[in-house]
Amino acid sequence: MPAERLLPTTEAEDLLALVREIARDELAPHAAEAEEHSRFPREAFRLLGKTGLLGLPYPERFGGGEQPYEVYLQALEEVASAWMSVAVGLSVHVMSSYALATFGDDAQKSRWLPDVLAGDQLGGYALSETHAGSDAGALSTRAVRSGDHYTVNGTKAWITHAGVADFYTLMARTSDDGGKGISCFFAPGQAEGLVAAKPERKMGLTGSITAQLSFSGVRLDADRLIGAEGDGLKIALSALDSGRLGIAACGVGLAQAALDEAVAYAKQRTQFGRAIIDFQGLEFLLADMAAAVESARATYLEAARRRDRGLPFRRQAAIAKLVCTDTAMKVTTDAVQVLGGAGYTRDFPVERYMREAKVLQIFEGTNQIQRLVIGRDLRR
């Protein structure tokens, strides 16, 4: 059954009703087949773009929806409950737009942001490298300035939308001063010398393209530098705070979908002459799953409301990412258990949900890194 929501405005209620309709009618019916064949759902992103969802939390004057994060994340959760690859792509696009929307100057915003938010373009976030994952300050991709342009060389790893994105928010080294030597660029997706490798063969999210991204003498005009040289790590970490909330919402949407599937199955599956939901052992398992989903939702909403009010939210975002993605892993695993042998087959979606849940504990900062962020904040 759909999640019950307390939304701040009538406009938000109408928006969520529209998103739920799109998720149910336009996304969910295509998810299983597309994931089975590792087919990238570009048309789904075009649909989300036409309805304004790709720019939902950004300023209306640049073409965004100007919705609070409290609303955007609940819309994202609805998408995740229907098709996880699309939800993760939506979250990545919103995070990839963050640097330009938040740290770009007026000229940069006026030039590029309307197209980014209009829905025809799709973004990628080029931070991680093979030897610089959790240790983002160790990246080696380098941008060297010469006159009015930079030349970029290096390889990025685990990049969502690699090869299909229309733009990348790129973090590259402009000096050897450790974390202070990293800068942020708004890079075009079709730049000469920019090549994506063969997509990774993943456990889940097979409809989402993930690949290495090679920069070989890529020339970027100097006006594509976002902020000042050396601001890149600060921008990246700020973007990740908000991006973690997106992944938290995705986790809750996936867990909600697994709970709904488990409850529906338990109501119609009979053993010993009774629906299995009537057995207390299973009833308690489902109750624990429901409690976990609703608690996780409250956790990411608390962080989102702090963000919307301009309050510090880094610790709360890390807590939300940790709690919500662990919940997704636990609830999807329990859903497979509820369905028994049927849950282990591809005739039911819960086995796919379980595979998709695992990566949520890994990207946008592993859950071990979230504990580090939380602990450091407590020490302060």
Side-chain angles (χ1 to χ4, degrees):
M1 62 186 216
E4 296 181 3
R5 305 189 184 279
L6 296 176
L7 295 161
T9 64
T10 301
E11 179 187 12
E13 292 174 357
D14 292 341
L15 172 64
L16 264 292
L18 173 63
V19 174
R20 185 169 284 172
E21 181 181 337
I22 291 171
R24 182 191 65 229
D25 298 341
E26 305 295 337
L27 299 181
H30 306 290
E33 183 182 3
E35 295 295 320
E36 179 76 19
H37 298 287
S38 301
R39 190 165 58 242
F40 180 65
R42 188 59 195 249
E43 287 305 314
F45 290 114
R46 291 193 177 96
L47 173 63
L48 296 186
K50 289 177 183 177
T51 55
L53 297 185
L54 293 184
L56 207 56
Y58 293 119
E60 192 172 11
R61 68 190 181 101
F62 293 113
E66 204 154 335
Q67 290 296 315
Y69 247 63
E70 174 186 1
V71 174
Y72 154 64
L73 292 176
Q74 292 187 80
L76 178 59
E77 184 195 325
E78 290 289 344
V79 175
S81 70
W83 193 348
M84 194 62 173
S85 286
V86 176
V88 168
L90 170 57
S91 180
V92 167
H93 175 84
V94 168
M95 185 174 70
S96 301
S97 307
Y98 176 88
L100 175 62
T102 307
F103 294 93
D105 61 33
D106 288 342
Q108 291 171 324
K109 291 178 184 178
S110 297
R111 180 180 177 186
W112 293 309
L113 198 53
D115 288 339
V116 165
L117 302 183
D120 292 329
Q121 295 195 5
L122 191 64
Y125 194 71
L127 172 62
S128 294
E129 298 179 3
T130 302
H131 300 291
S134 296
D135 184 9
L139 63 82
S140 60
T141 295
R142 186 170 290 271
V144 177
R145 181 157 187 168
S146 176
D148 62 354
H149 72 276
Y150 290 85
T151 301
V152 183
N153 287 282
T155 301
K156 294 294 181 178
W158 309 112
I159 306 305
T160 301
H161 301 155
V164 297
D166 299 290
F167 69 91
Y168 299 96
T169 293
L170 166 68
M171 303 302 167
R173 184 166 296 285
T174 49
S175 83
D176 293 320
D177 190 14
K180 296 179 181 179
I182 297 169
S183 301
C184 177
F185 298 88
F186 182 76
Q190 303 303 317
E192 186 176 352
L194 178 56
V195 178
K198 183 179 179 180
E200 304 288 352
R201 298 171 64 235
K202 306 192 300 287
M203 176 191 293
L205 295 183
T206 51
S208 176
I209 293 176
T210 307
Q212 290 191 347
L213 198 61
S214 175
F215 293 79
S216 181
V218 174
R219 179 171 172 148
L220 299 178
D221 292 340
D223 63 0
R224 287 185 173 271
L225 174 69
I226 304 297
E229 282 195 7
D231 285 349
L233 190 58
K234 176 186 72 175
I235 293 172
L237 295 178
S238 179
L240 283 169
D241 286 339
S242 296
R244 285 165 180 161
L245 291 181
I247 298 305
C250 287
V252 174
L254 188 64
Q256 182 71 58
L259 172 63
D260 291 345
E261 188 73 21
V263 170
Y265 184 86
K267 287 180 177 178
Q268 61 85 28
R269 169 70 168 167
T270 59
Q271 289 289 277
F272 307 104
R274 301 163 61 189
I276 62 173
I277 199 171
D278 292 335
F279 293 99
Q280 191 178 75
L282 194 63
E283 184 181 41
F284 280 11
L285 177 58
L286 293 168
D288 285 345
M289 292 164 67
V293 172
E294 295 202 21
S295 297
R297 180 176 295 117
T299 302
Y300 87 65
L301 286 174
E302 167 64 15
R305 287 163 184 153
R306 290 181 64 87
R307 185 191 190 281
D308 290 335
R309 287 157 179 76
L311 298 172
F313 71 99
R314 173 165 291 177
R315 185 178 77 214
Q316 288 77 15
I319 291 172
K321 199 274 185 181
L322 171 65
V323 169
C324 294
T325 60
D326 280 355
T327 293
M329 192 72 253
K330 179 68 165 61
V331 170
T332 55
T333 302
D334 287 344
V336 171
Q337 190 70 24
V338 170
L339 270 68
Y344 199 65
T345 71
R346 296 193 176 185
D347 295 331
F348 292 85
V350 291
E351 67 83 29
R352 172 165 57 88
Y353 297 161
M354 183 178 170
R355 289 186 286 108
E356 291 173 340
K358 185 60 210 173
V359 75
L360 298 176
Q361 297 175 303
I362 297 171
F363 59 17
E364 308 292 11
T366 66
N367 282 6
Q368 287 70 33
I369 288 294
Q370 305 314 314
R371 290 176 169 89
L372 187 66
V373 171
I374 296 163
R376 286 178 175 175
D377 190 78
L378 292 174
R379 288 204 304 272
R380 282 197 289 268

